[in-house]
Amino acid sequence: MFRFSFQRLRALIRKEFIQLKRDKTTLIMIIMLPVMQLMLFGYAINMDPKHLSTAVISRDNTFLTRSIVSAFEKSDYFNITHKASSDAQGKKLLQQGRVLFVITIPENFTRDVIHGNRPTLLLQADASDPVSIIGATSAMDGIYQSVAQKEFNGSLAYLQNNATPAFSIQVQKSYNPEGFTRYNIVPGLIGMVLVFTGVMMTSLALTRERERGTMENLMSMPLAPLEIMIGKIMPFIFIGMFQATLILLIANLLFEIPVFGSLSVLFVCMFLFIICNLALGFFISTIAKNQTQALQMSIFVLLPCLLLTGFMFPFDGMPLWAQALADMFPLTYFIRITRAIMLKGAGWAEILPDLWPLLILMSVITFFTVKAYKNTLD
Amino acid sequence: MTKWAIDVKNLTKHFGDRVVVNNISLQVPKGKIYGFLGPNGSGKTTTIRMLCGLLTPDHGEGTCLGYDICTQTDLIRKKVGYMTQKFSFWEDLTIRENLEFVTNIYEMDHVKQRVDEALEKLHLTHRANQLAGTLSGGWKQRLALAACILHQPEILLLDEPTAGVDPKARREFWDEINQLSNQGLTVLVSTHYMDEAERCHEIIYIAYGNIMARGTVAQVIAETKLKTFEISGADVPLLRQKFEHNSDIATMALFGENLHICGTNPTKLQKLIEAQKTLAQFQSKEIETSLEDAFIYYLNKAKEN
Ligand SMILES: Nc1ncnc2c1ncn2[C@@H]1O[C@H](COP(=O)(O)OP(=O)(O)OP(=O)(O)O)[C@@H](O)[C@H]1O
Ligand SMILES: [Mg+2]
C-alpha cells in the first residue's frame, strides 16, 4: 500500500480545478442549472401571499358565523374555496395542498358566544408556507374587531363591553411537507441539483477521462485508488456546495425564503448528501463503458428521483410500492431533512429519523464504490 | 541481482472468450533496447499493460525489475516509465502544467527546477504555457517521452511511440532512446517500422498472441530460411500473375518495377524462375531477405496454426 501523500493529492486536485476552469460549458451549466430551475419554479408558484385558498367546516350556521366567514374573506388574506363537511375532509384538503387554511366553527358556537362562554374558533394553517401564515395570522385581531363592530350591537352590545373578547381564534400550525409551495420546492431543488451534479457530472467526467485514455496514464503512475478517488471527487464537493449556497441565496434575496433552522446543520447534511451522490456517480463510472452509457445510467437514477422522492408529487399520495422504492433513494431523506431544517427550524434531534437512513445509504454506496473501483484496466 | 529487467513466463490474457495473449514468455536483459513487433491486434499493448500492472494476467507469472507483476504493481509503477499508444497527457493542461503534475505525482522535490530543465531539454521553454492539445503529433510524442523519463525510471515501456511522426522527428526520438539506453536504461518498444526494429538490440515478433520469433534482426531473418530473388524487366506484371497462388512462393511483393519473391526452398524457387526464362523477358538475382518478408512469412505461419 502507498503512503498517503499530500503532494500527490494536491497535484491531483489542482489538475482537476485547472481543467474545470478551462471547461466553459461545464462552468456555465454549474451556475445556470440552479438559477434557471429556481427562477422557473419560483415564479411559476403563486407569490402573492393574499387570497389564500381556505376551507370552512361550519358546524353552526347563524348570522354570527356567516359574519365571521365574510370577515375572513374581507381581510384579503383568505379566499374561501372549499366547504368541508368533516375534520377528515379538511385535513385531506390541507395535506394535498389544495388549501392553506381550514377554519373550523364548532357546534353551538353562537349560543356559547351569547351565553358568554367565550368559545374558540380553530384556524388550521399549513406552516410550510411560513411567510403567508405570518401575514394571515396577524389579521386575526382585525377580523375579530370587524365582527364585533358589526354584530355586537343592540341586545348583544354587552359582549362588546367586556374586557375579554367574546370568542377567540386559535391558530394551529400544521406542517405540511407535501404542499406545492415555494418553500417546499427550494429544499427539493437543492436536492435535485446536487443529484444532477453529483451523479451525472461525476460519472461523465470520469468516463471522459477513461475514453480519452488519460485514465490509463493516471493508473500507470504510483497513485493509490483512494487518492485518485478523492482527487476526482473534491472539485465536485466544492461545486455542489457552491450550487446549494447559490440556491439558498437567490431563494432568500429574490423570493424571501428564509432558513429557520441552523445553517451549519444544513451544510453538514448537504455535505453528507453530496458524498452520497459522488459515490453513486463514481460507481456508475466503474460500470459504464463510455460517456453515453454513463449518461443513460445517470438518467436512470435521476428520473425516479424526480418522480418518487416527493420533489414533484406528494410522497403520501404515492402507492405503497412506490414509497418503498423511494425509501431507497438518499434524496427522499435529504428533502425531508432540508425541509425540516429550513422551514421548521429543526435541529439534530428532529432530523435524526431521516438522518440515519441517509448515513446508512451513504456508507453502503461508498462501500460498494470503493470495492468496485480498481486501479487496473481489467 | 538478476540480469533481467523483465522476466515473465506463460503470460495469458483473455478478453471474453478470446485469447489475446497466449502463453508468452519474455526475458529482457537490463540496459538493452528490446523491440516488440507484431501486426495490429496481436496483443502488444495488452502484453505491455500486463508488464506494468495495468492488467492482471489470467495465467502466468513473472517479474518486472525484480517485482512481481501480479502482487507488487505499486512498486513497479514507481520505477516504470510507460508511454501509452495514444497520447494520454492532458490536452487541456499546458505543457508546464502537465510536467508539474507528473513531477508532483512522483513526489519529487525542486519541482520548478526539474520542470524547467525538462522544458529546456525539449526546447519547449518558450511554449511552456501552450495547451498540450494544441501541439502537433511529433511534439506531443516528445512531451510524452519527456514526462515519462522525468522520474528517472529504470525501464521504459514505449507503446508505438513514433506512430504518425515524421522521419526527422523519428530519428531524433531514437537518438534520445539510444542515449538513454547508453545510460543503462532498459527500453521495451513496440513499433510497426522495420527501420526501428533494426535499431533494437533484440526483437520479438508476436502474431495472434503467440511469439513467432525472437533474437537479433539477423537471427530472426535467418531462422525463416527464406531466400529472396529480385526480378526485373518488361514482363514483371505477367510473371506476377503467373506466380500468384504458387505454393512454393512464401511471399511476393512489388517494389517499384521490381518483384521480390521469397520461399524456403531455393532450388524449387530457382526452377520456377528458370521455367519462365524462355517465355518472358526478365532478369533475376538473389538478394538478402528483408525483415518485412520474414514478418509476413511468420504471420502466414501463425495463420495456419
Ligand atoms: N479491454 C479490452 N476488452 C476487449 N478486447 C480488448 C481489450 N483490449 C484489447 N482488446 C482486443 O485485444 C486484441 C489485442 O489488442 P492489443 O491492443 O493488445 O493489440 P496491439 O498489438 O497493441 O495492436 P495495435 O498494433 O493495433 O496497437 C485486439 O483485438 C483488441 O480488440
Ligand atoms: Mg497497441
Side-chain angles (χ1 to χ4, degrees):
Chain A
M1 217 23 227
F2 288 112
R3 192 170 44 83
F4 197 82
S5 149
F6 278 102
Q7 187 181 0
R8 283 201 298 257
L9 192 60
R10 216 184 54 209
L12 277 169
I13 294 172
R14 211 175 98 86
K15 162 184 155 291
E16 295 297 330
F17 273 106
I18 295 174
Q19 287 182 296
L20 182 66
K21 191 180 76 187
R22 301 208 172 121
D23 187 355
K24 297 282 180 288
T25 327
T26 305
L27 277 183
I28 290 173
M29 200 155 85
I30 287 168
I31 297 173
M32 288 312 280
L33 184 77
V35 174
M36 294 279 284
Q37 297 262 348
L38 192 59
M39 295 288 173
L40 222 74
F41 283 110
Y43 283 116
I45 295 163
N46 178 24
M47 288 269 296
D48 187 10
K50 295 203 170 152
H51 306 291
L52 304 167
S53 42
T54 307
V56 178
I57 306 172
S58 186
R59 302 231 163 79
D60 194 28
N61 194 357
T62 66
F63 73 95
L64 184 60
T65 61
R66 283 191 294 272
S67 175
I68 291 173
V69 170
S70 89
F72 265 99
E73 283 206 287
K74 282 202 188 100
S75 77
D76 274 358
Y77 283 106
F78 303 91
N79 185 16
I80 312 291
T81 52
H82 292 77
K83 293 236 185 300
S85 50
S86 66
D87 286 345
Q89 203 191 344
K91 198 173 165 194
K92 202 171 152 200
L93 287 169
L94 208 55
Q95 269 180 352
Q96 288 174 341
R98 309 266 290 269
V99 296
L100 279 172
F101 298 98
V102 176
I103 303 169
T104 309
I105 302 170
E107 269 172 62
N108 304 324
F109 179 78
T110 314
R111 204 191 64 198
D112 286 347
V113 171
I114 294 169
H115 289 180
N117 290 346
R118 302 201 180 89
T120 305
L121 198 147
L122 183 66
L123 177 71
Q124 284 169 285
D126 178 349
S128 51
D129 195 342
V131 172
S132 303
I133 306 302
I134 291 164
T137 50
S138 68
M140 288 307 115
D141 278 345
I143 288 171
Y144 178 81
Q145 290 304 331
S146 76
V147 171
Q149 243 167 42
K150 199 169 151 216
E151 305 297 342
F152 299 161
N153 303 315
S155 60
L156 291 179
Y158 66 96
L159 288 170
Q160 216 172 38
N161 299 334
N162 278 354
T164 44
F167 66 91
S168 59
I169 302 172
Q170 189 200 344
V171 179
Q172 191 184 70
K173 287 182 199 172
S174 69
Y175 172 74
N176 171 18
E178 314 293 1
F180 198 67
T181 65
R182 284 173 289 151
Y183 300 90
N184 265 343
I185 218 71
V186 168
L189 213 56
I190 295 176
M192 272 317 290
V193 168
L194 291 182
V195 172
F196 191 87
T197 302
V199 178
M200 179 115 80
M201 283 177 52
T202 313
S203 62
L204 278 180
L206 277 155
T207 35
R208 191 182 315 135
E209 185 128 39
R210 193 162 311 142
E211 269 183 311
R212 285 185 185 164
T214 49
M215 199 65 189
E216 180 176 1
N217 197 349
L218 210 56
M219 282 179 180
S220 74
M221 294 176 188
L223 284 161
L226 197 65
E227 287 172 333
I228 296 188
M229 291 180 83
I230 294 177
K232 279 272 156 207
I233 276 175
M234 200 63 95
F236 290 102
I237 296 180
F238 277 93
I239 294 171
M241 285 294 186
F242 168 78
Q243 288 179 316
T245 314
L246 195 65
I247 294 179
L248 286 176
L249 264 177
I250 298 178
N252 197 308
L253 296 177
L254 224 55
F255 301 111
E256 286 158 19
I257 298 170
V259 177
F260 284 110
S262 139
L263 269 180
S264 52
V265 177
L266 185 58
F267 271 90
V268 170
C269 293
M270 275 185 208
F271 178 79
L272 297 176
F273 182 61
I274 287 173
I275 299 292
C276 255
N277 292 317
L278 292 180
L280 198 57
F282 215 102
F283 184 75
I284 287 177
S285 79
T286 60
I287 34 179
K289 289 201 171 60
N290 49 46
Q291 288 192 72
T292 319
Q293 278 189 10
L295 195 68
Q296 284 166 344
M297 287 186 212
S298 302
I299 289 173
F300 190 74
V301 172
L302 274 166
L303 222 54
C305 274
L306 202 66
L307 300 178
L308 297 179
T309 58
F311 174 62
M312 293 285 265
F313 306 110
F315 191 86
D316 286 334
M318 295 193 308
L320 280 178
W321 64 264
Q323 287 190 14
L325 198 62
D327 279 342
M328 313 216 303
F329 286 93
L331 182 62
T332 308
Y333 304 100
F334 178 73
I335 288 184
R336 281 191 210 141
I337 289 173
T338 316
R339 280 178 182 168
I341 296 173
M342 281 186 68
L343 311 176
K344 287 200 286 191
W348 290 119
E350 288 91 343
I351 60 170
L352 195 64
D354 288 310
L355 188 59
W356 67 260
L358 184 67
L359 280 169
I360 288 179
L361 281 172
M362 184 184 89
S363 315
V364 170
I365 298 170
T366 311
F367 173 78
F368 280 110
T369 305
V370 172
K371 243 180 110 84
Y373 180 74
K374 286 203 189 66
N375 226 4
T376 65
L377 298 166
D378 287 300
Chain B
M1 282 303 275
T2 110
K3 62 181 271 218
W4 308 117
I6 293 172
D7 185 6
V8 291
K9 267 199 229 37
N10 309 328
L11 288 192
T12 300
K13 184 75 188 174
H14 304 253
F15 285 122
D17 42 5
R18 245 187 81 207
V19 184
V20 172
V21 172
N22 187 16
N23 234 3
I24 281 190
S25 300
L26 185 62
Q27 286 181 318
V28 178
K30 279 185 181 161
K32 289 278 190 306
I33 302 176
Y34 210 84
F36 198 9
L37 290 103
N40 290 133
S42 54
K44 298 184 297 293
T45 302
T46 308
T47 307
I48 293 177
R49 283 175 178 164
M50 283 195 281
L51 293 177
C52 60
L54 281 175
L55 284 173
T56 339
D58 297 332
H59 302 289
E61 51 175 19
T63 59
C64 178
L65 300 170
Y67 301 118
D68 191 298
I69 58 162
C70 295
T71 58
Q72 295 180 300
T73 56
D74 294 352
L75 293 164
I76 293 176
R77 279 170 205 199
K78 282 190 180 170
K79 300 198 168 168
V80 166
Y82 170 46
M83 184 168 159
T84 53
Q85 180 166 359
K86 204 176 137 205
F87 180 71
S88 64
F89 284 86
W90 289 270
E91 305 208 340
D92 45 359
L93 295 189
T94 64
I95 297 164
R96 177 183 289 283
E97 284 161 353
N98 267 302
L99 292 172
E100 271 173 2
F101 176 71
V102 175
T103 319
N104 278 315
I105 292 300
Y106 286 95
E107 288 185 272
M108 286 180 275
D109 42 14
H110 309 300
V111 174
K112 193 176 172 329
Q113 189 190 331
R114 278 175 203 266
V115 170
D116 283 339
E117 277 167 20
L119 284 168
E120 190 99 14
K121 242 174 84 183
L122 269 170
H123 306 295
L124 274 178
T125 310
H126 60 294
R127 286 160 78 177
N129 293 324
Q130 190 179 331
L131 291 185
T134 61
L135 287 172
S136 69
W139 281 106
K140 274 186 187 166
Q141 302 298 78
R142 296 181 66 167
L143 170 64
L145 181 67
C148 277
I149 56 176
L150 257 177
H151 63 289
Q152 294 165 327
E154 291 174 24
I155 185 166
L156 279 181
L157 303 175
L158 310 175
D159 198 357
E160 292 187 37
T162 55
V165 172
D166 71 53
K168 181 168 172 287
R170 222 143 60 80
R171 178 151 303 176
E172 281 167 8
F173 195 92
W174 271 90
D175 286 344
E176 167 97 23
I177 289 180
N178 277 103
Q179 219 175 46
L180 290 167
S181 163
N182 287 340
Q183 291 162 14
L185 204 69
T186 312
V187 181
L188 178 74
V189 52
S190 80
T191 177
H192 288 298
Y193 295 109
M194 296 304 122
D195 59 318
E196 292 187 355
E198 279 160 5
R199 295 187 71 146
C200 298
H201 294 117
E202 274 182 54
I203 60 167
I204 181 165
Y205 184 80
I206 72 169
Y208 303 106
N210 296 295
I211 295 187
M212 301 305 295
R214 64 174 93 213
T216 62
V217 170
Q219 282 169 344
V220 168
I221 296 173
E223 209 177 293
T224 60
K225 301 201 170 62
L226 284 173
K227 289 281 180 261
T228 306
F229 291 90
E230 186 185 67
I231 297 170
S232 52
D235 282 333
V236 162
L238 183 78
L239 288 172
R240 191 164 162 242
Q241 264 176 7
K242 283 198 173 161
F243 289 155
E244 208 149 14
H245 307 301
N246 192 310
S247 58
D248 291 329
I249 297 172
T251 72
M252 178 169 75
L254 216 49
F255 285 83
E257 308 224 301
N258 302 336
L259 188 67
H260 290 193
I261 56 173
C262 11
T264 43
N265 193 332
T267 45
K268 270 191 181 169
L269 219 53
Q270 215 134 20
K271 245 190 221 157
L272 201 70
I273 295 168
E274 290 304 325
Q276 299 295 329
K277 276 263 157 90
T278 51
L279 303 167
Q281 289 257 308
F282 67 92
Q283 300 90 46
S284 73
K285 64 168 188 232
E286 197 182 331
I287 55 166
E288 261 181 55
T289 302
S290 72
L291 188 56
E292 196 170 278
D293 286 323
F295 285 159
I296 292 171
Y297 166 80
Y298 283 125
L299 181 58
N300 290 335
K301 203 166 116 186
K303 250 184 216 159
E304 284 161 20
N305 295 344

